[in-house]
Amino acid sequence: MIEVGDLEKGMYIKYEGDIYRIIDVNKHFRGRGSGLIRTKLKSLSTGLIRDVNFASGEKVEEAELSFRKAEYLYNDGENYYFMDLQTYEQYAIPESEVDEAKYYLVENTQVDLVMHDEKPIGIQLPTTVVLEVVETEPNFKGDTVSGGGKPAVLQTGLKISVPFFINVGDKIKVDTRTGEYIERA
């Protein structure tokens, strides 16, 4: 059992007989009394998304899952294909389950397959990935005075803000949890 105050985006829980992936968590605390934890849950069996509110202090059951090392191979527009690094078995995961992770996947990226009853139900990304900048504005002398950054599009279609010294063709490290630039690779 896990306390609802410890729930985080991306976790899997068992609730009302079904397994759900947590899409969003908001914690609201009032001046008096207990807090309220608002969650957005996606059912793995039906794909439906529902909003569930928990009172602070409640407990939910964490889903029993296993993880397998896998390598991303390719996608065909509907499914993303991964190869188990121990058995060399290939798994297809629907784009709806890959969700936002697709912006961090390039061929040969190693991920953890999230398994339930020997079936893949999702993926867990590494903390950082290296991606190439394919589109950004040229920098001008004096740009660094203001600090900040400029918009850039990466090879996967992800749009992020990067420092002014980054150019098209540069490889950069991106945090998969926040989607933010970390450093040049």
Side-chain angles (χ1 to χ4, degrees), residues 6-181:
D6 296 332
L7 294 178
E8 294 176 10
K9 182 178 176 181
M11 290 177 79
Y12 294 87
I13 61 170
K14 197 170 192 178
Y15 180 69
E16 293 180 351
D18 200 359
I19 294 181
Y20 291 89
R21 181 166 51 99
I22 300 172
I23 296 174
D24 195 26
V25 177
N26 290 312
K27 298 172 184 174
H28 301 277
F29 294 100
R30 292 171 252 165
R32 279 195 248 168
S34 64
L36 183 68
I37 287 78
R38 294 182 179 168
T39 61
K40 197 172 271 198
L41 306 175
K42 182 175 185 179
S43 169
L44 297 183
S45 60
T46 63
L48 296 175
I49 296 173
R50 64 187 274 196
D51 293 319
V52 179
N53 296 331
F54 296 103
S56 182
E58 275 187 63
K59 292 183 185 255
V60 292
E61 190 177 342
E62 197 167 5
E64 291 183 30
L65 304 171
S66 61
F67 297 89
R68 289 193 188 158
K69 292 277 181 214
E71 188 173 287
Y72 170 64
L73 299 174
Y74 66 96
N75 79 67
D76 62 7
E78 290 179 22
N79 293 310
Y80 283 73
Y81 294 88
F82 299 87
M83 179 180 65
D84 187 317
L85 292 176
Q86 289 182 329
T87 64
Y88 301 109
E89 193 174 342
Q90 288 188 20
Y91 296 101
I93 299 180
E95 185 174 5
S96 61
E97 287 305 315
V98 174
D99 204 28
E100 296 292 314
K102 68 183 176 187
Y103 293 115
Y104 304 102
L105 289 173
V106 290
E107 289 179 7
N108 304 324
T109 300
Q110 291 198 3
V111 299
D112 286 327
L113 281 179
V114 181
M115 308 291 282
H116 179 67
D117 291 336
E118 297 302 311
K119 250 180 56 185
I121 59 172
I123 64 168
Q124 205 167 40
L125 293 167
T127 309
T128 62
V129 292
V130 175
L131 298 171
E132 186 178 338
V133 177
V134 294
E135 185 183 314
T136 188
E137 300 165 8
N139 49 337
F140 301 101
K141 192 172 183 177
D143 273 342
T144 56
V145 174
S146 63
K150 60 183 179 177
V153 179
L154 307 181
Q155 71 192 77
T156 58
L158 180 66
K159 295 177 183 167
I160 66 170
S161 180
V162 296
F164 289 110
F165 58 82
I166 299 294
N167 298 309
V168 172
D170 287 354
K171 291 194 181 282
I172 62 171
K173 224 181 229 187
V174 179
D175 188 324
T176 58
R177 298 165 298 186
T178 61
E180 294 175 353
Y181 166 87

